[in-house]
């Protein structure tokens, strides 16, 4: 929360909360679970907005890390995030810059199977994509449609 408060004080218009699973690190214990701190971050931002009489600016809260289903996206939005940031879920899409072989490796991975792939800029990404439900190479549009349908279904059938 200290980093969030500091970024806000510097004038940030968007704050990205990185939770467990960010960057494909599914089993990482070094980051908190998103659901545990989204409400606290939202409360802080609302308090700042309500106490800033002269300049009540909107600061958007974006959640990311370990979001693999429409339900996880819906849960973050319900808890107070304005949006979500997804990465690994799109790694094996047709539009991804990864090589065909890297995409095939992702599709072949299983939950708990981790691998390293390289971004076009040369940075390494350690990923546990099997846990994200990536079973075939498909278009980014298909991924988004699945997430949206899952979010709608979760929102109408769950009471958080």
């Amino acid at each position: 929360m200290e980093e969030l408060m500091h970024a806000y004080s510097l004038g940030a218009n968007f704050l990205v909360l990185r939770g467990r699973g960010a960057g494909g690190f599914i089993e990482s214990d070094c980051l908190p679970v998103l659901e545990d701190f989204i409400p606290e971050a939202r409360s802080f931002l609302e308090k700042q907005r309500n106490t800033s009489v002269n300049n009540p600016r909107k600061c958007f809260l974006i959640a990311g890390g370990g979001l693999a289903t429409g339900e996880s996206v819906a849960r973050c939005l319900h808890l107070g995030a304005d949006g979500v940031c997804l990465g690994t879920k799109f790694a094996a899409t047709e539009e991804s810059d990864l090589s065909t072989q890297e995409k095939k490796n992702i599709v072949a991975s299983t939950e708990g199977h981790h691998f390293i792939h390289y971004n076009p800029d040369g940075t390494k990404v350690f990923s546990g994509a099997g846990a994200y439900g990536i079973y075939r190479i498909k278009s980014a549009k298909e991924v988004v449609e699945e997430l949206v349908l899952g979010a709608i279904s979760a929102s109408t059938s769950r009471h958080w």
Side-chain angles (χ1 to χ4, degrees):
M1 279 300 294
E2 284 181 35
E3 290 177 3
L4 179 134
M5 291 186 268
H6 181 67
Y8 182 86
S9 73
L10 294 174
N13 292 314
F14 293 88
L15 295 170
V16 178
L17 301 177
R18 283 186 6 171
R20 193 166 294 159
F25 288 94
I26 292 293
E27 298 170 358
S28 173
D29 291 332
C30 64
L31 293 171
V33 176
L34 277 171
E35 290 88 347
D36 292 347
F37 68 101
I38 291 173
E40 183 181 0
R42 170 56 54 210
S43 177
F44 166 78
L45 290 176
E46 290 304 316
K47 182 179 177 185
Q48 296 305 309
R49 189 171 186 201
N50 293 334
T51 58
S52 299
V53 179
N54 295 333
N55 189 15
R57 68 185 167 91
K58 176 73 174 169
C59 184
F60 296 93
L61 191 59
I62 309 300
L67 304 178
T69 65
E71 181 180 357
S72 61
V73 169
R75 188 170 40 255
C76 288
L77 297 173
H78 175 78
L79 290 170
D82 294 302
V84 295
C85 178
L86 302 167
T88 302
K89 190 73 175 172
F90 292 93
T93 60
E94 296 163 358
E95 296 85 354
S96 167
D97 286 333
L98 295 180
S99 71
T100 301
Q101 186 56 53
E102 287 174 309
K103 292 176 188 181
K104 287 179 181 179
N105 291 344
I106 291 170
V107 170
S109 69
T110 59
E111 190 164 349
H113 175 214
H114 299 89
F115 58 92
I116 296 174
H117 59 85
Y118 295 87
N119 285 329
D121 65 1
T123 57
K124 290 182 189 179
V125 178
F126 182 73
S127 191
Y132 285 91
I134 302 170
Y135 305 114
R136 67 182 175 84
I137 298 172
K138 53 187 156 186
S139 72
K141 179 180 184 251
E142 287 178 272
V143 173
V144 170
E145 287 170 349
E146 290 170 6
L147 289 167
V148 168
L149 290 174
I152 291 169
S153 175
S155 295
T156 58
S157 65
R158 304 222 183 241
H159 302 285
W160 285 290

